Amino acid sequence: MEIVRPQSHRNLFSSNDAVSVPSLPLYRSAPPLEVRLEDFESFAIDRLRVLKGISDGLSRGKKPEEMEKLVKELWKVNMRHQHASEVLNKDIISHFVLRLVYCRTEDLRKWFLSMECALFRYRFRFLTPEAQRAVMDNFDLTCRAVNNVEFESIKEKLGQVARSMGQPSPTVDAIFYKVPFEEVPELVAGRKVFISQGYAYVAMNQVVSLVATLFRSQLSKTLILTNRVAINCCRKWTSSIREQEKHRLTPIVEALSSSYLGPDFSQPREYAEISLKDIDQVAKSSFPLCMRHLFDKLKEDHHLKHGGRMQLGLFLKGVGLNLEDALAFWRAEFSKKVGLEKFEKDYSYNIRHNYGKEGKRTDYTPYSCQKIISSTPGAGDQHGCPYRHFSEENLRAALSRMGVNSRAMEDVMDKVRNRHYQLACTLTFEALHGMTCDAGINHPNQYFSDSQKILQPKKDSSAQNLVTARE
Amino acid sequence: MIPQQESDFDHNYLKPYYGKLFPFADIFKWMTYGHDGKHPGCDQSYFGRREFSFTLKGDFYLRFQSFNNALELENSIKEKCPLKIDIGPVYTVDPAKRHAYAQGDNNVFAPVERELIFDIDMTDYDDVRYCCRGADVCLNCWPLMTIAIKVIDTSLRDDFGFKHILWVYSGRRGVHCWVCDGKARRLTNEQRASIADYYRVYKGNENSHKKVSLMGAALHPFLATSYTNVLKDYFEKILLTSQNLLATEERYEKILSMIPDESIASELRGKWQDSRRSSSAKEDINVVRWEQCKQLLQSGKHKAQGLRRCVEEIVFFFTYPRLDMEVSKHMNHLLKAPFCVHPKTGRVCVPIDPNQCDEFDPTTVPTLFQLLEELNNEGLRADVNGEWNGTSLGNAITLFRSSFLEPLQKACKEEIERSYNLKLQQSKNSVGW
């Protein structure tokens, strides 16, 4: 495992020395602390509440400022401890317990990594400058500050970048860090940094992104290592701790990873199973706008590009369309444009792939709103979230085709202008069904099943099953 | 329009093409990246872990083909005569053995290296070219590809520091780019996506409204440089006229619809609806109208929002490169190999020299028929360099070698030696107490 830096060791245990404590641990190695069994579980659950809260906030499309407030609140409420000196230990212990739990599968790792990184990022933002520098020291960043000579030579370009983002040009005493561009993919993607000869010049106020990426890659590597260690530990556990601890710890560890949020719609509900003949009808009554649009375009053009096929295809799977009916559905449309033979050759494989019947047999999950909103439809594409990706006129036209009345329309457009895309979709749902949707729309399949529940109340609407986290 | 003759391609002629012309040795040398076994630091398994895939006649598709050496590669291609050869990534293990390694959740079969690739296709520009549509290309719209090569090539070198870049004609309507530096091959999907997004300007489709949006008080240096050095001139000196962008009402309305200030748009419309020639009838009408348009937009008289960058936005809309994002973002995306023959046009996918891309003419790229005819005319004279040397393919292969393969090989050898020496040093250090 990793060598523990002497500094972090000191900071870990000398909790009296408030100044040298970096309030943001990097979780580089498991501390040799003794933990009471009750704390083992309760610390982890408290931290899990924080991570769940973050996950929730993100899927509701909260803006960065709102997320910052949310994280602060969540942390304050859940991660405090009656002894101030124990706060840091609780932080570290809870992280490592969850790491044990969430290292076990690819999906769990992915979720845990995303949430811990989000948590880290927001906590970093409200550290004091000294504390931030301490973290940066840990990542060997402070030595990569740009010297005056180099700064002078690129000052103009740095100014252009700043002004392109509506910020003032950097002053003479501004600090910039020169790092390989690979370490700041977000900043590169958004053209928010000057890049030259493979190096990105990161401004002080962008350091969060840099530190977050470094944290993420570090955590990602150790999660996989933890998995291997955990497997070995479990073997040791079961053999040596057999009678006593095994019955205490293992159930806790198991329960933690299943105590999760919402359904991922990978298993279709019974009542929502639809067949080929129902599709046209349910599309009109229960599809959310994004899927309705794709569906209509498919009927019109007898074709959809890859992004659209994925988004609509997986949605239909989640709604209960079985593979045979799905093939028939797509074949009926596509063969009108490309012919039967070409459909079998070029398209049917991918449909079977989506149902986990080809290739590496992954059973793909339908896309959530968060994923759809963040997609980037390009020329010829019809996928994405219309509330986000359509121009105002096109969106109004699409909504009125769906049957949204003019008053509701204004409320919806107001949400869109403020970039609350999922709330806009929720309002649309409420306008069309004449009922409120308190939970808010997070997933197209949720829109569908909620709609069907209202329109077909006779069928059994059993409680949704809680399944393991997937993003 | 390039006339599409039915007889430009015939599957039967692929056999002699692969038999005598396809540069197997060069492709092999490229794909080994120096791991040819001649140095103790070479990874003998490297070439064997590379995926190739073949599209055969009758649209049979063979994925996960791999070969241990040049001869196996050559024999397989000569035997199967694929219509198309695609190159995939280098995996953790030999792709032929992948099933043995895919165990449930922890997938040990995964890509480890893959060139950074770009695919630019003329059909993505259909809304800004009037000379052709869809699969057709001509010399009036080809400059759009030239622009893309210049802008992207310059940036890959200056901004990202890459050196080993290969541009290839796709055989019909676009170009491919292969960035082969070690650093590029080892980029993660996220990093590839970030580079693709760095290059992304044109957003949206028929559903959205504004497709090019350049906000901010200044342009990012990359966009500013591209505009000043490439886009502006190509737009004003070539495309404006060759595409007649402002000559008719339908066309100028398209540009007017991109001006957010209605008063300016109407003023221009007023000037142009009156189709009397201006006094300087010699000057091209597109050029004249563009000048009028620029003057109003840049005069600073009208302070409407969104006007600041309007001129640039229009130029970017008509010229800036449009990349296929999906191709670049994923390590496992396959891409057609250079020197394949395009089945619809019969043209060979030849390399393009980015330093002379202005002179590249897609209408004169050698075709399969042409090459075989040349071979026949040369008689049985066997050139020591390979029979291609006497044909039009000669220049293409020479270019491939001198400007791309040789510098790449040199760099690869150096890298292998460096890391080998480093390992030796490290093991020496760890021996002592």
Side-chain angles (χ1 to χ4, degrees):
Chain A
M1 295 281 253
E2 282 178 312
I3 302 165
V4 176
R5 291 171 139 258
Q7 277 171 318
S8 25
H9 242 317
R10 172 165 56 82
N11 290 329
L12 207 59
F13 297 112
S14 65
S15 43
N16 294 322
D17 190 353
V19 174
S20 62
V21 169
S23 0
L24 198 53
L26 297 180
Y27 315 110
R28 281 199 168 134
S29 61
L33 296 169
E34 266 190 8
V35 191
R36 298 181 311 160
L37 193 63
E38 306 87 82
D39 290 341
F40 189 91
E41 182 177 24
S42 70
F43 284 0
I45 288 181
D46 287 342
R47 192 185 191 90
L48 193 56
R49 285 207 190 92
V50 177
L51 298 185
K52 277 168 63 170
I54 293 176
S55 183
D56 225 16
L58 288 173
S59 66
R60 289 185 193 283
K62 284 200 192 303
K63 287 194 273 217
E65 311 82 61
E66 297 170 313
M67 283 303 299
E68 234 180 81
K69 265 202 318 210
L70 175 67
V71 171
K72 214 169 189 164
E73 191 58 33
L74 284 167
W75 190 263
K76 201 174 75 165
V77 165
N78 293 293
M79 294 302 287
R80 59 180 165 210
H81 195 282
Q82 53 188 51
H83 302 303
S85 57
E86 288 297 304
V87 168
L88 184 61
N89 288 344
K90 177 172 175 176
D91 182 353
I92 295 172
I93 290 166
S94 59
H95 170 92
F96 278 94
V97 174
L98 287 184
R99 214 197 258 196
L100 257 186
V101 170
Y102 280 85
C103 68
R104 295 174 306 146
T105 72
E106 179 74 36
D107 282 344
L108 291 178
R109 280 197 292 273
K110 224 169 135 185
W111 185 85
F112 181 68
L113 187 63
S114 294
M115 298 310 128
E116 280 287 335
C117 288
L119 176 61
F120 180 86
R121 173 188 286 263
Y122 288 111
R123 287 178 70 197
F124 183 84
R125 275 161 118 152
F126 36 79
L127 284 180
T128 62
E130 299 95 58
Q132 287 187 340
R133 283 207 61 152
V135 174
M136 286 167 66
D137 274 338
N138 266 313
F139 282 119
D140 283 326
L141 279 182
T142 42
C143 57
R144 299 201 255 170
V146 169
N147 63 40
N148 285 334
V149 172
E150 193 174 4
F151 180 77
E152 279 306 309
S153 68
I154 55 171
K155 202 169 57 165
E156 202 189 308
K157 302 277 183 182
L158 295 176
Q160 276 180 302
V161 176
R163 293 193 329 269
S164 77
M165 297 189 288
Q167 289 165 18
S169 290
T171 55
V172 141
D173 53 355
I175 304 178
F176 277 81
Y177 294 93
K178 180 177 175 179
V179 296
F181 74 87
E182 298 99 300
E183 288 179 12
V184 284
E186 272 173 34
L187 298 177
V188 170
R191 283 194 296 268
K192 294 184 175 157
V193 280
F194 171 58
I195 306 179
S196 175
Q197 290 307 318
Y199 287 94
Y201 292 83
V202 180
M204 191 62 208
N205 64 13
Q206 297 173 315
V207 154
V208 182
S209 179
L210 176 54
V211 165
T213 311
L214 293 170
F215 176 78
R216 189 193 179 94
S217 78
Q218 174 197 277
L219 185 55
S220 169
K221 289 190 197 111
T222 52
L223 272 179
I224 297 186
L225 279 176
T226 307
N227 184 30
R228 301 207 184 124
V229 170
I231 291 173
N232 289 331
C233 273
C234 282
R235 291 197 195 113
K236 288 203 188 110
W237 260 356
T238 45
S239 59
S240 68
I241 314 178
R242 199 161 285 255
E243 306 314 291
Q244 309 149 40
E245 311 304 337
K246 178 186 168 189
H247 295 293
R248 297 199 303 157
L249 291 174
T250 327
I252 295 173
V253 169
E254 294 286 319
L256 278 174
S257 72
S258 351
S259 57
Y260 170 64
L261 306 168
D264 62 352
F265 301 98
S266 56
Q267 307 302 322
R269 307 277 161 280
E270 293 148 27
Y271 63 80
E273 229 165 54
I274 62 170
S275 69
L276 217 42
K277 57 178 172 54
D278 301 330
I279 285 193
D280 286 323
Q281 178 50 41
V282 294
K284 284 198 186 67
S285 65
S286 299
F287 278 14
L289 182 57
C290 53
M291 300 304 172
R292 173 83 183 263
H293 175 71
L294 281 166
F295 185 82
D296 288 343
K297 273 292 167 187
L298 176 62
K299 291 275 172 184
E300 194 183 306
D301 299 337
H302 306 298
H303 191 273
L304 278 180
K305 285 184 101 167
H306 181 257
R309 297 199 295 273
M310 289 301 283
Q311 191 175 309
L312 182 60
L314 290 174
F315 168 75
L316 291 174
K317 185 175 85 153
V319 137
L321 194 67
N322 63 35
L323 176 58
E324 206 182 300
D325 283 351
L327 283 167
F329 170 72
W330 290 98
R331 185 186 299 125
E333 289 309 321
F334 268 64
S335 58
K336 288 183 190 141
K337 176 141 190 212
V338 303
L340 209 52
E341 214 185 300
K342 195 164 159 70
F343 172 78
E344 295 303 339
K345 223 181 307 181
D346 293 347
Y347 297 100
S348 64
Y349 176 90
N350 282 315
I351 297 167
R352 286 199 301 280
H353 202 279
N354 284 347
Y355 279 74
K357 300 279 181 269
E358 297 282 358
K360 61 180 170 150
R361 321 260 152 171
T362 311
D363 207 2
Y364 291 96
T365 44
Y367 297 165
S368 64
C369 286
Q370 197 188 332
K371 182 161 177 158
I372 292 173
I373 288 170
S374 56
S375 65
T376 51
D381 284 325
Q382 302 295 348
H383 63 277
C385 174
Y387 298 98
R388 176 169 183 221
H389 296 115
F390 279 25
S391 65
E392 180 160 333
E393 341 167 357
N394 285 333
L395 183 56
R396 280 178 185 275
L399 287 171
S400 79
R401 274 199 295 277
M402 263 181 103
V404 176
N405 66 57
S406 46
R407 216 190 51 167
M409 182 85 77
E410 291 319 309
D411 290 335
V412 171
M413 295 315 293
D414 181 64
K415 292 288 173 221
V416 168
R417 264 175 240 122
N418 288 310
R419 295 195 278 169
H420 299 309
Y421 308 119
Q422 286 169 246
L423 291 179
C425 190
T426 310
L427 286 180
T428 305
F429 180 94
E430 291 179 350
L432 292 175
H433 292 80
M435 283 182 65
T436 55
C437 172
D438 292 321
I441 300 296
N442 286 326
H443 199 297
N445 288 90
Q446 174 207 357
Y447 183 110
F448 181 85
S449 57
D450 285 354
S451 170
Q452 287 283 288
K453 258 189 259 181
I454 293 172
L455 297 174
Q456 307 193 51
K458 279 175 278 174
K459 296 203 177 162
D460 179 33
S461 50
S462 45
Q464 291 169 338
N465 303 317
L466 293 174
V467 290
T468 337
R470 244 173 265 218
E471 257 312 296
Chain B
M1 253 181 58
I2 302 175
Q4 301 260 294
Q5 293 153 293
E6 286 300 326
S7 53
D8 266 328
F9 179 82
D10 185 330
H11 182 252
N12 293 317
Y13 293 158
L14 276 181
K15 207 164 172 66
Y17 178 72
Y18 288 132
K20 297 175 197 279
L21 295 172
F22 186 85
F24 292 102
D26 296 83
I27 299 288
F28 174 74
K29 278 190 196 140
W30 171 23
M31 288 287 123
T32 46
Y33 285 98
H35 293 286
D36 52 11
K38 293 185 184 149
H39 187 281
C42 284
D43 176 354
Q44 305 279 49
S45 74
Y46 187 84
F47 181 70
R49 293 187 278 121
R50 167 80 68 170
E51 178 190 1
F52 293 88
S53 83
F54 297 154
T55 307
L56 307 181
K57 191 172 175 203
D59 271 333
F60 290 107
Y61 197 53
L62 292 175
R63 268 202 75 174
F64 297 112
Q65 305 296 293
S66 59
F67 310 100
N68 290 315
N69 52 52
L71 194 60
E72 279 184 26
L73 173 70
E74 186 172 338
N75 287 343
S76 183
I77 290 177
K78 279 178 170 167
E79 184 214 336
K80 298 188 170 77
C81 268
L83 285 172
K84 186 165 78 130
I85 302 168
D86 283 298
I87 300 176
V90 177
Y91 285 94
T92 41
V93 295
D94 181 344
K97 305 195 174 89
R98 63 195 181 281
H99 295 300
Y101 290 95
Q103 343 160 340
D105 202 44
N106 290 310
N107 212 344
V108 177
F109 174 68
V112 286
E113 278 195 18
R114 208 272 186 275
E115 295 76 8
L116 174 64
I117 54 176
F118 298 97
D119 181 354
I120 304 167
D121 190 318
M122 196 65 93
T123 47
D124 288 338
Y125 293 79
D126 278 353
D127 61 346
V128 293
R129 55 177 184 145
Y130 298 111
C131 49
C132 307
R133 279 203 78 74
D136 302 323
V137 287
C138 71
L139 291 178
N140 281 329
C141 52
W142 187 260
L144 288 166
M145 293 294 115
T146 310
I147 291 170
I149 296 175
K150 282 182 185 244
V151 167
I152 304 294
D153 189 78
T154 306
S155 169
L156 286 171
R157 290 174 204 274
D158 294 350
D159 298 351
F160 293 101
F162 294 126
K163 297 189 172 55
H164 302 284
I165 302 173
L166 174 71
W167 288 93
V168 187
Y169 174 51
S170 75
R172 185 159 63 157
R173 62 193 192 208
V175 294
H176 296 160
C177 178
W178 300 75
V179 185
C180 304
D181 298 53
K183 201 155 89 134
R185 300 193 319 264
R186 293 185 279 272
L187 290 171
T188 64
N189 285 354
E190 191 191 4
Q191 290 159 345
R192 285 160 205 266
S194 76
I195 298 176
D197 283 322
Y198 179 81
Y199 288 137
R200 191 166 195 247
V201 170
Y202 178 90
K203 287 175 193 189
N205 46 31
E206 67 196 33
N207 299 316
S208 54
H209 196 54
K210 205 125 197 259
K211 297 171 192 170
V212 173
S213 187
L214 301 171
M215 313 289 272
L219 289 179
H220 183 280
F222 160 61
L223 298 180
T225 311
S226 304
Y227 180 74
T228 314
N229 293 355
V230 184
L231 305 183
K232 183 172 191 291
D233 281 348
Y234 267 84
F235 181 78
E236 293 184 346
K237 298 184 179 150
I238 299 182
L239 292 170
L240 207 50
T241 312
S242 71
Q243 294 290 332
N244 279 305
L245 293 177
L246 289 165
T248 67
E249 181 175 342
E250 190 194 331
R251 294 187 191 181
Y252 68 60
E253 277 303 332
K254 191 187 196 125
I255 291 185
L256 290 181
S257 75
M258 296 174 67
I259 300 176
D261 184 325
E262 192 45 47
S263 60
I264 296 185
S266 344
E267 196 176 327
L268 290 168
R269 191 177 289 117
K271 283 198 224 265
W272 300 343
Q273 261 164 355
D274 172 8
S275 60
R276 278 182 318 214
R277 282 269 178 221
S278 57
S279 51
S280 51
K282 284 185 196 160
E283 235 189 329
D284 178 273
I285 193 172
N286 300 289
V287 174
V288 169
R289 287 180 174 175
W290 179 244
E291 277 311 307
Q292 292 170 331
C293 186
K294 269 204 297 188
Q295 250 199 13
L296 277 182
L297 288 173
Q298 290 173 335
S299 69
K301 254 195 307 178
H302 309 255
K303 296 274 187 211
Q305 243 210 6
L307 216 52
R308 200 193 329 226
R309 295 256 95 82
C310 197
V311 171
E312 284 94 332
E313 281 175 351
I314 294 173
V315 172
F316 270 79
F317 179 72
F318 280 94
T319 60
Y320 183 83
R322 299 177 185 190
L323 310 176
D324 185 336
M325 296 282 130
E326 290 308 305
V327 170
S328 307
K329 284 181 178 180
H330 303 285
M331 278 179 101
N332 57 8
H333 206 288
L334 298 165
L335 192 62
K336 185 164 62 172
F339 298 106
C340 283
V341 179
H342 198 296
K344 300 253 165 56
T345 59
R347 298 213 186 260
V348 179
C349 301
V350 293
I352 302 176
D353 184 352
N355 297 324
Q356 319 223 292
C357 55
D358 299 53
E359 280 137 46
F360 181 80
D361 181 349
T363 66
T364 60
V365 169
T367 67
L368 185 58
F369 273 42
Q370 176 193 342
L371 289 172
L372 292 176
E373 229 177 82
E374 287 171 4
L375 265 187
N376 284 336
N377 294 340
E378 287 298 309
L380 296 166
R381 196 191 76 193
D383 194 297
V384 63
N385 269 326
E387 293 191 59
W388 51 264
N389 207 23
T391 66
S392 313
L393 204 56
N395 290 336
I397 295 187
T398 307
L399 177 66
F400 182 79
R401 289 179 181 179
S402 60
S403 70
F404 171 69
L405 189 57
E406 279 154 25
L408 175 64
Q409 280 193 297
K410 182 157 176 282
C412 288
K413 295 276 181 195
E414 282 167 10
E415 194 184 317
I416 290 176
E417 201 168 319
R418 239 195 332 263
S419 65
Y420 181 72
N421 290 336
L422 193 62
K423 276 207 191 98
L424 276 184
Q425 199 59 38
Q426 283 172 341
S427 59
K428 280 203 191 106
N429 292 343
S430 64
V431 164
W433 284 102

